[in-house]
């Protein structure tokens, strides 16, 4: 008997089988996928736009044929004729499932807006931007001394501002003469000067005095999320911050899955490049609206990203990064026109700077973290961990800096989790479990109240409780361990073994029920044994990477730990230590740096000297390649236990006494184990 088609939604990762002919919108609603619609599925509102993916998706175990969805219909054509749809888009209320399919829900089709978990951190930055405003008075043309307007502008800039030379492209030349004459020979120009070039580029020109400011974008382009900060290039102030899911998730949640997609699908790299460039344009458009500025005032962009994202952004096939020796097409910094990567939603002449990569799996985002946190200037030995789909680690002090990456996967960001979702209003982001009653209380994004507060229901009525995001699932697993519902090996006990009805059977394993709103049409949110396993794999990879750096340095402990990224800003250090995500250290020595990669991008945007500094620094960082280190697997296996199989975690033991249940079926620790022993007898 053949199975119904499998539908996989990204970025949520939710999946299910549906009868052929089921509308995509119906499938989304039944799975609790965040897909908007206000017209009742009549093809009027266009809120339910989706993007189907075609080809081989080994990560999802799906091969998607061209006829996976029903053919384009008259309703979609009517909307296309009236308003237009982006290439590849379909209306979820009209397209029906025919065969296995992977469907991406773009940000504008999601009900709950992405929350920027990588918010801009407060940082005092010395302002010396590459792009500045200069007002000059230009000599009027003289028939007796014939010179061009551009040449006289250059002469004025040299005389009045000591600018040695300028260049301008054709689109700027077309604006030059009208601006000079309208301003009565006084103009303001935006000049961009690279730190390794004496000649400045004229990016924009205005008649007279320009007082509307000048702006840049600092973008942290992650595998799972993209965060952008609109920054005033005069003051360094962050005017607006926005985030969105990376639409490439539909091609694979982790980096190697995307490399595999490129290898297995001809033109797959081009498809992924197009997806991320479209996302950056959408983000740029929205952030200009959020910041209440004209897009033309955004004249510079700095981007940091990991090596795979780096290559896909630049239109380079990342296939070489999927196999040893993990060769980069270029590891140096890149200065070019923003339009070269298709960034058209900002000033046409805007410039782009991408920080250098450290190595094949340690990218420009790690370089940005190094710029922000300065491990090479530290007096004590510091371990900096930037946790994401691909965790990147730096260990160092004044004696030197080591770097590595660990393939943690997207579990820390809520993906591959049964009730997982992105960080949006309604997502559980913090949880506590009473060690006596085993009852949970939790908090959701959009409210500061905990679920046991009498006003919680009213405060969350708008968003509801929709799922659990990365920080929530991390805390949930640690809380299960501290409450004695989860043993050292990551196994959850039955209701009989734990004494709580919140442990519910699911096949041969058990899940912990956080909340059940199914009676009111809401979700049933649980932590499953599969969720525990996903977190174990992620945290083990992270810990193993840290241990390899410590081995290379010849130490068994570090003086302090700095957590960077969305994880570092939104989860307690206690829960991180209970999980064993990081090496044991005094809790007061474990701190958060917020979005250090984003901060590094802002520093490079606001200070031209910082670009030269980080270009020198990355050449001095030594890379440890986890993929070929024999001890990685040894460290990984030992770190599967919670918190660890062999390390005593002495600092953690000073503040937390962890229960020691054993729910292994053959150990006598649970109800199922007792039954099996009786049967064997």
């Amino acid at each position: 008997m053949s199975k119904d088609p499998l539908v996989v939604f990204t970025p949520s990762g939710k999946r299910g089988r549906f009868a052929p002919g089921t509308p995509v919108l119906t499938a989304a609603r039944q799975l609790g996928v965040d897909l908007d619609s206000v017209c009742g599925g009549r093809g009027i509102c266009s809120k339910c736009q989706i993007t189907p993916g075609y080809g081989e998706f080994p990560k999802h175990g799906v091969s998607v044929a061209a006829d996976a969805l029903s053919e384009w219909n008259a309703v979609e054509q009517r909307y296309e004729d009236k308003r237009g749809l982006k290439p590849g888009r379909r209306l979820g209320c009209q397209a029906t499932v025919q065969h296995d399919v992977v469907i991406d829900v773009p940000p504008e089709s999601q009900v709950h807006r992405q929350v920027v978990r990588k918010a801009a951190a407060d940082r005092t930055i010395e302002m010396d931007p590459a792009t500045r405003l200069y007002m000059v008075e230009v000599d009027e043309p003289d028939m007796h001394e014939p010179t061009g307007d551009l040449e006289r502008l250059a002469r004025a800039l040299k005389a009045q501002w000591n600018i040695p030379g300028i260049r301008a492209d054709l689109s700027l030349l077309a604006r030059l003469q009208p601006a000079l004459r309208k301003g009565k020979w006084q103009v303001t120009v935006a000049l961009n000067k690279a730190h390794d070039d004496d000649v400045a580029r004229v990016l924009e020109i205005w008649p007279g005095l320009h007082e509307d400011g000048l702006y840049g974008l600092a973008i942290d382009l992650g595998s799972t999320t993209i965060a952008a900060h609109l920054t005033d290039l005069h003051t360094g102030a962050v005017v607006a911050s926005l985030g969105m899911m990376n639409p490439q998730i539909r091609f694979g949640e982790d980096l190697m899955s995307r490399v595999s997609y490129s290898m297995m699908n001809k033109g797959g790299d081009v498809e992924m490049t197009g997806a991320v460039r479209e996302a950056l344009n959408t983000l740029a458009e929205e952030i200009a609206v959020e910041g209440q500025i004209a897009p033309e005032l955004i004249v510079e962009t700095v981007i940091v990203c990991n090596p795979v994202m780096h290559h896909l952004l630049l239109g380079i096939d990342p296939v070489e990064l999927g196999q040893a020796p993990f060769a980069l097409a270029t590891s140096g910094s890149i200065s070019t026109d923003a339009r070269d990567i298709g960034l058209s939603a900002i000033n046409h002449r805007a410039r782009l700077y991408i920080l250098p990569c450290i190595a094949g799996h340690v990218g420009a985002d790690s370089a940005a973290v190094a710029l922000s946190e300065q491990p090479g200037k530290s007096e004590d030995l510091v371990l900096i961990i930037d946790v994401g789909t691909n965790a990147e680690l730096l260990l160092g002090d004044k004696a030197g800096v080591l770097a590595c990456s660990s393939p943690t996967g997207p579990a820390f960001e809520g993906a591959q989790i049964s009730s997982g979702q992105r960080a949006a209003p309604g997502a559980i982001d913090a949880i506590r479990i009473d060690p006596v009653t085993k009852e949970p209380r939790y908090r959701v994004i959009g409210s500061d109240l905990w679920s046991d507060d009498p006003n919680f229901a009213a405060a969350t009525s708008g968003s509801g409780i929709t799922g659990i995001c990365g920080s929530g699932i991390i805390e949930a697993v640690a809380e299960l361990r501290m409450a004695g519902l989860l043993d050292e090996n990551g196994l959850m006990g039955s209701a009989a073994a734990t004494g709580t009805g919140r442990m519910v059977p699911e096949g041969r394993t058990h899940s912990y029920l956080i909340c059940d709103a199914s009676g009111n049409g809401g979700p049933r949110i649980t932590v499953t044994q599969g969720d525990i396993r996903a977190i174990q794999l992620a945290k083990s990879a992270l810990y193993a990477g840290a241990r390899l750096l410590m081995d290379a340095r010849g130490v068994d402990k570090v003086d302090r730990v700095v957590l960077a990224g969305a994880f570092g800003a939104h989860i307690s250090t206690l829960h991180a230590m209970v999980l064993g995500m990081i090496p044991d250290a005094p809790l007061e020595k474990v701190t958060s740096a917020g979005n250090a990669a984003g901060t590094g991008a802002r520093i490079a945007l606001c200070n031209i000297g910082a670009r030269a500094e980080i270009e020198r620094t990355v050449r001095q960082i030594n890379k440890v390649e986890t993929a070929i280190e024999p001890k990685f697997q040894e460290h990984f296996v030992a770190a599967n236990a919670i918190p660890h199989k062999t390390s005593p975690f002495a600092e953690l033991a000073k503040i937390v006494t962890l229960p020691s249940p054993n729910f292994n079926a053959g150990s006598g620790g649970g109800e199922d184990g007792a039954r099996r022993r009786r049967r064997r007898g």
Side-chain angles (χ1 to χ4, degrees), residues 69-89:
L69 295 181
S70 58
E71 293 183 0
W72 182 267
N73 68 16
V75 175
E76 290 173 300
Q77 187 60 50
R78 182 187 67 197
Y79 187 84
E80 167 70 14
D81 294 340
K82 287 187 175 181
R83 299 185 186 177
L85 286 168
K86 290 183 179 179
R89 291 277 179 90

Side-chain angles (χ1 to χ4, degrees), residues 468-547:
I468 187 166
C469 69
S471 60
I473 190 64
I474 291 168
E475 291 198 6
V477 176
E479 286 286 325
L480 286 167
R481 180 73 178 91
M482 289 190 284
L485 302 173
L486 180 73
D487 69 16
E488 178 190 53
N489 296 315
L491 292 174
M492 288 193 284
S494 64
T498 60
T500 175
R502 287 197 173 269
M503 303 305 301
V504 294
E506 287 201 16
R508 299 177 63 181
T509 63
H510 297 87
S511 297
Y512 179 78
L513 178 63
I514 297 177
C515 71
D516 186 358
S518 57
N520 299 320
R524 190 170 186 270
I525 300 174
T526 62
V527 179
T528 69
Q529 191 65 62
D531 298 338
I532 300 293
R533 184 59 179 158
I535 293 297
Q536 280 181 286
L537 293 174
K539 76 99 175 179
S540 298
L542 182 60
Y543 183 92
R547 280 300 317 180

